[in-house]
Amino acid sequence: MTIMPSDDEHKADSDEQLPESEETVVRTRDETPPAATKPDRLMTRRAYLEVTVGAFPGQRFYLGQCDHLIGRSQDVDIPLPDDSISRQHAKLEFRNDEFVLVDLGSKNGSYLNGTSVHECPLRAGDEIMIGNHALQFLFEAVLSPTK
């Protein structure tokens, strides 16, 4: 195989001929051969709840891989200002690589996709109703640097 410099590096004479059996590859100085490239970032998912109905529509609560308390108290992870919500109303438990909605014995209950639930795993797109608030459980793609 013959590697020729790009036009910027060398101007070939029009009369110059390469043997027919050879393959020609033209490469610029900054171009890295495909085999030498490696990904420097990984695509991962990050879970979050987005308020769709209630105070602060559009607000997002990003979820780490741990448990999160939901309620009207300011001492919870996901505070929702609503008198129909208990101070500690529900919890999102992180179990076996998924989130589970758990009602904490609240007076008005917790609803998942319109059904009253005590405990139920969450799937992308699920709607949680707590008091007068609706929250959608979603994921977003995140690029993380590789190690």
Side-chain angles (χ1 to χ4, degrees), residues 57-73:
Q59 182 178 8
R60 289 182 176 184
F61 296 97
Y62 289 95
L63 307 172
Q65 294 181 344
C66 58
D67 295 353
H68 300 274
L69 279 173
I70 304 171
R72 77 166 189 268
S73 170

Side-chain angles (χ1 to χ4, degrees), residues 42-98:
L42 292 175
M43 184 73 71
T44 59
R45 298 185 323 161
R46 177 170 54 177
Y48 66 95
L49 289 179
E50 184 170 331
V51 177
T52 56
V53 175
F56 314 112
Q59 182 178 8
R60 289 182 176 184
F61 296 97
Y62 289 95
L63 307 172
Q65 294 181 344
C66 58
D67 295 353
H68 300 274
L69 279 173
I70 304 171
R72 77 166 189 268
S73 170
Q74 290 302 310
D75 298 329
V76 299
D77 304 303
I78 301 170
L80 301 173
D82 183 341
D83 288 337
S84 65
I85 296 175
S86 301
R87 282 188 272 282
Q88 292 189 354
H89 192 99
K91 178 169 50 171
L92 294 180
E93 291 184 358
F94 188 73
R95 301 184 209 155
N96 302 321
D97 218 25
E98 70 178 1

Side-chain angles (χ1 to χ4, degrees), residues 2 17-24:
T2 301
Q17 297 288 322
L18 292 175
E20 289 183 34
S21 62
E22 293 192 53
E23 179 183 350
T24 303

Side-chain angles (χ1 to χ4, degrees), residues 81-139:
D82 183 341
D83 288 337
S84 65
I85 296 175
S86 301
R87 282 188 272 282
Q88 292 189 354
H89 192 99
K91 178 169 50 171
L92 294 180
E93 291 184 358
F94 188 73
R95 301 184 209 155
N96 302 321
D97 218 25
E98 70 178 1
F99 286 97
V100 178
L101 175 64
V102 178
D103 185 81
L104 298 176
S106 64
K107 182 178 176 184
N108 293 325
S110 300
Y111 294 81
L112 185 62
N113 300 321
T115 303
S116 178
V117 295
H118 172 68
E119 187 173 308
C120 190
L122 296 175
R123 303 286 177 250
D126 280 349
E127 182 183 67
I128 300 168
M129 286 290 301
I130 295 179
N132 296 315
H133 282 73
L135 303 110
Q136 191 168 23
F137 179 72
L138 298 165
F139 290 96

